[in-house]
Amino acid sequence: MSQNEVFDQLDVGGIVDLTGEDTARIHIAALRAAGEPGKNAAYQAERAAGLVTAFPPSLVRALHRYGNHGSVHNTLLVRGLLPDVAGLPPSPGTTTPAPLGPDVDAAALILLAVASQMGEPFTFASLYEGRLVQHVTPVPGQEDAQTSEGSDTVLAWHVEDAFTEARCDFFGLLCLRGEPAAQTLVAPARALALPAEVERVLREPRFVVEPDIAHGADPTPDLPVAAVLSGPPGDPEICFDAVYQRPADPADADAATALKALADAVDAAAVAHVLEPGELLIADNRRIVHGRTVFRPRYDGTDRWLLRTMVCASKREHRRRGASRALP
């Protein structure tokens, strides 16, 4: 990925615009819900689900259509989801801040409400204290980290939590405060131009992925061996991590070559979007890879600040996991 690359923008068919009236109605309902007692994750998700009654039909239909059919880039961008909030607190400078007030609580509930239309929000207990809604913001001392805390280094291509089959089906990024230099990059698997032999290798179980440092995990000796690509050729699923993935057999030169070819194909298929305040980007974690360009943090309270949540699309699978909002 080159910081100076010129990328196409997201397809307009995958964009939904809310009116000012829609935004205000959703925000008022979210502020009301944020003031209710009960702070655990299960109750947070339940409160958020009730906000759907404030959604305009156009948003509900767009979410339904996207969940069933995807989009050109397998993303959905919702614009105008939050009002301009003059009282938004400074960007926290940590991914595990103390409570930040009603406007941030309301934004988190709005994110969860939209996410609940795609499935069941969840996280991992090992990830940022098991918070159902995570903060994505630069953190001092973590500038080069390949996590939500980094900034000075390109966030390399990956799917969320590629090391586990329990990874999310969708994730959402809600922008509270933007950064013009920070491009969110996505590349849909079905747009990858791969030679037939490379695709054949990537569809075979010849690869492993280490848990990433965001989970605080040490290298694991017994990693499951899996394929990178699966599913129908016209709409494949992908499990790729440019940093933590490698051939299961260190001597497997064909697998190593295929990963390099895949990385080049992902670069060529990339599209970008600079998230603006009030925008929510939903992405299909099974069908796209994503990353982020370099930006320079200021640590003055005005840095880029997103909220993120993840979704399990199958209620049956969610129940099998004990309906847990934070998987062990």
Side-chain angles (χ1 to χ4, degrees), residues 27-301:
H27 185 62
I28 290 169
L31 284 172
R32 188 180 303 116
E36 296 176 10
K39 299 298 182 182
N40 68 56
Y43 189 65
Q44 188 182 24
E46 186 175 309
R47 279 185 295 165
L51 296 182
V52 174
T53 58
F55 287 2
S58 60
L59 176 57
V60 176
R61 288 195 300 268
L63 290 166
H64 177 80
R65 183 170 57 251
Y66 171 66
N68 281 277
H69 304 291
S71 66
V72 170
H73 297 124
N74 276 323
T75 59
L76 181 68
L77 182 68
V78 183
R79 298 193 293 206
L81 196 55
L82 300 178
D84 293 332
V85 180
L88 188 69
S91 301
T94 173
T95 49
T96 54
L100 293 167
D103 285 314
V104 178
D105 290 346
L109 288 177
I110 291 169
L111 170 60
L112 289 172
V114 177
S116 71
Q117 294 295 286
M118 309 305 299
E120 291 297 332
F122 80 100
T123 188
F124 294 91
S126 58
L127 191 63
Y128 304 121
E129 301 179 345
R131 299 184 182 207
L132 191 58
V133 174
Q134 299 117 36
H135 296 262
V136 178
T137 194
V139 174
Q142 298 299 313
E143 289 82 2
D144 294 328
Q146 286 291 318
T147 69
S148 300
E149 301 173 337
S151 53
D152 283 357
T153 298
V154 169
L155 183 61
W157 292 115
H158 66 289
V159 304
E160 295 294 337
D161 306 308
F163 67 93
T164 174
E165 186 53 36
R167 63 188 176 275
C168 64
D169 298 305
F170 299 94
F171 65 88
L173 297 171
L174 177 61
C175 183
L176 301 185
R177 186 168 282 130
E179 167 55 59
Q183 293 179 319
T184 298
L185 308 173
V186 301
R190 63 186 174 198
L192 301 178
L194 294 168
E197 177 60 18
V198 168
E199 183 170 349
R200 181 189 67 78
V201 172
L202 293 172
R203 285 180 173 274
E204 295 176 348
R206 297 166 70 166
F207 306 89
V208 294
V209 185
E210 295 277 358
D212 65 76
I213 61 171
H215 289 265
D218 294 323
T220 305
D222 299 319
L223 298 170
V225 180
V228 176
L229 297 177
S230 60
D235 193 21
E237 297 187 9
I238 186 168
C239 181
F240 177 53
D241 191 302
V243 174
Y244 294 101
Q245 192 167 41
R246 56 178 169 79
D249 179 357
D252 189 343
D254 288 344
T257 298
L259 283 179
K260 174 62 170 62
L262 175 61
D264 292 341
V266 168
D267 281 344
V271 296
H273 181 73
V274 176
L275 284 164
E276 300 286 346
E279 291 185 342
L280 167 61
L281 181 68
I282 304 172
D284 187 331
N285 195 50
R286 303 282 176 163
R287 291 181 174 85
I288 67 112
V289 293
H290 67 285
R292 188 215 64 240
T293 60
V294 170
F295 67 99
R296 300 284 181 251
R298 296 172 293 276
Y299 302 130
D300 61 357

